[in-house]
Amino acid sequence: MLSQPASSVSASAAVRFAICGVGHIGRRHAALVSRHPSAQLVALIDVKAELAPALAVEFPGIPFFTSLEDYLQCGGYEADILTIATPNYQHALQAIAGLRHGMHVVVEKPIALHKHDAEAIVHTALQTGRLVFGVMQNRYSPPAAWLKQVVVEGRLGQVYLVQINCFWNRDARYYQAGGWKGRQQQDGGTLFTQFSHFVDLLYWVFGDITNISARFCDFNHASITDFEDSGLVTFDLVRGGSGTLQYSTSVWDRNLESSLTVVAENGSLRLGGQYMDKVEYCHIKDYQLPQLPPTNPANDYGPYQGSAANHVQVIDNVVETVQKRSFATTNALEGMKVVEIIERIYSLRHL
């Protein structure tokens, strides 16, 4: 059911969105929805009442609520989609509340911090006949879509090695005192907040992993986070082959790279750049790399940057799926699998 087109909105009706959490990413969702020809922004929700004046200027005429509960009880501003861009630990409960209220939900990464919470989202979606869209924006990157196609077509043959490197800067400009980021119970850890979309890319392209081992380090974040800033993870691919995931947020001043290298039976390739935004190497038997569309620029948060800003494609997919013109690119089952993989990696922190 989760991968089937929704049935609540006709192909001609505008898809109505309520945005819960109007920080940087929530604002981006709201702006893109308000500009989308087949979408309509109907409500903004955030616990920070002080945001209301600025939002009234940026999104005139859009009602503002200081809690999801107030919005759900209000009536009169019904949405087809509830977009959740709040702190990580709130995602599951808010997604379930939206589903039970009859809305489809779009959940920023990660969809939950625990597999059992992600399972509850899946079960609620099945019970209510609603859809859950996970925001895993790397899937819309042209190099990532090309990689998926190459693997699906079997051009590489047997995959031998997959290496993922994520070396970013996240310092005190990001992990600010008094916030939820960096707190174990609210954030979940570096793999959840920073790199879950790279774990999603690994799973989406190469499938599940097993035989995991890991080491974790805390080089320069001991005073600003409750968890590791770096990790070295090795694993086997269930389909055959082995892999490594090396990550760090300890890079000085700015992001270094996000890269994925594949060594396989019929060739090798590497996606690289700060945000895995280009094909740096491709040598595959009887194959010529095609001209790929340009990758969107990175999300710019001022003092630090994130991955490619592909939210416009996310919203396009949501609108087209709900209007029965497409299928969900990332569903709740896949989001749950990513949470499970990260939990299995993090279970080794306590051994």
Side-chain angles (χ1 to χ4, degrees), residues 66-101:
T66 54
S67 75
L68 179 59
E69 292 74 17
D70 286 349
Y71 166 71
L72 295 177
Q73 294 171 9
C74 176
Y77 304 100
E78 288 83 3
D80 306 298
I81 308 288
L82 176 66
T83 297
I84 298 167
T86 53
N88 296 355
Y89 70 102
Q90 298 176 351
H91 290 182
L93 288 177
Q94 291 174 338
I96 290 169
L99 291 167
R100 288 177 174 165
H101 200 75

Side-chain angles (χ1 to χ4, degrees), residues 31-343:
L32 291 170
V33 166
S34 64
R35 294 198 296 263
H36 198 288
S38 299
Q40 179 186 0
L41 183 63
V42 298
L44 297 169
I45 307 158
D46 200 290
V47 296
K48 295 181 178 178
E50 63 270 22
L51 296 176
L55 291 171
V57 174
E58 191 172 355
F59 304 103
I62 304 302
F64 177 82
F65 299 86
T66 54
S67 75
L68 179 59
E69 292 74 17
D70 286 349
Y71 166 71
L72 295 177
Q73 294 171 9
C74 176
Y77 304 100
E78 288 83 3
D80 306 298
I81 308 288
L82 176 66
T83 297
I84 298 167
T86 53
N88 296 355
Y89 70 102
Q90 298 176 351
H91 290 182
L93 288 177
Q94 291 174 338
I96 290 169
L99 291 167
R100 288 177 174 165
H101 200 75
M103 293 180 284
H104 308 291
V105 296
V106 175
V107 189
E108 271 290 341
K109 64 174 178 62
I111 69 164
L113 293 180
H114 303 284
K115 181 185 176 183
H116 61 81
D117 290 330
E119 287 176 331
I121 295 174
V122 172
H123 291 154
T124 306
L126 289 168
Q127 291 164 0
T128 59
R130 302 294 88 183
L131 295 173
V132 178
F133 301 84
V135 178
M136 289 298 183
Q137 64 267 33
N138 275 11
R139 296 192 183 194
Y140 297 97
S141 169
W146 167 79
L147 172 66
K148 172 72 170 179
Q149 181 181 5
V150 165
V151 172
V152 167
E153 292 175 352
R155 295 185 180 275
L156 291 172
Q158 177 61 50
V159 172
Y160 297 151
L161 292 173
V162 176
Q163 178 191 65
I164 298 177
N165 292 330
C166 300
F167 299 139
W168 283 13
N169 163 263
R170 291 292 183 268
D171 52 27
R173 294 172 294 183
Y174 178 87
Y175 291 113
Q176 296 182 5
W180 64 272
K181 295 172 182 174
R183 307 284 70 84
Q184 179 64 55
Q185 297 303 313
Q186 298 174 320
D187 182 312
T190 302
L191 284 177
F192 278 115
T193 303
Q194 307 306 326
F195 302 130
S196 60
H197 43 315
F198 294 99
V199 176
D200 173 74
L201 185 61
L202 171 68
Y203 174 68
W204 182 52
V205 176
F206 300 103
D208 204 355
I209 64 174
T210 187
N211 298 329
I212 302 168
S213 61
R215 293 176 56 199
F216 304 95
C217 305
D218 197 5
F219 293 116
N220 61 2
H221 284 55
S223 64
I224 57 175
T225 72
D226 296 338
F227 41 74
E228 89 292 348
D229 55 40
S230 306
L232 306 168
V233 184
T234 63
F235 51 85
D236 290 331
L237 298 167
V238 170
R239 298 176 187 170
S242 296
T244 63
L245 167 62
Q246 302 174 96
Y247 66 92
S248 181
T249 53
S250 295
V251 178
W252 178 73
D253 193 48
R254 66 185 184 189
N255 292 354
L256 171 60
E257 72 163 357
S258 309
S259 67
L260 186 151
T261 303
V262 182
V263 177
E265 178 184 7
N266 296 327
S268 303
L269 59 85
R270 175 182 166 89
L271 309 186
Q274 280 195 61
Y275 316 105
M276 213 178 282
D277 53 354
K278 57 185 126 179
V279 180
E280 293 187 334
Y281 183 84
C282 173
H283 185 54
I284 301 173
K285 180 181 178 181
D286 300 326
Y287 180 78
Q288 185 69 37
L289 176 68
Q291 183 71 37
L292 300 180
T295 301
N296 288 339
N299 283 302
D300 190 345
Y301 304 96
Y304 57 92
Q305 291 186 309
S307 56
N310 293 327
H311 284 86
V312 64
Q313 289 98 324
V314 173
I315 292 169
D316 283 342
N317 178 247
V318 171
V319 169
E320 290 174 2
T321 301
V322 172
Q323 291 182 334
K324 299 193 279 187
R325 293 185 284 119
S326 185
F327 294 86
T329 301
T330 307
N331 61 47
L333 288 170
E334 293 171 315
M336 180 180 71
K337 191 63 185 179
V338 171
V339 172
E340 182 217 302
I341 290 172
I342 294 175
E343 273 200 315

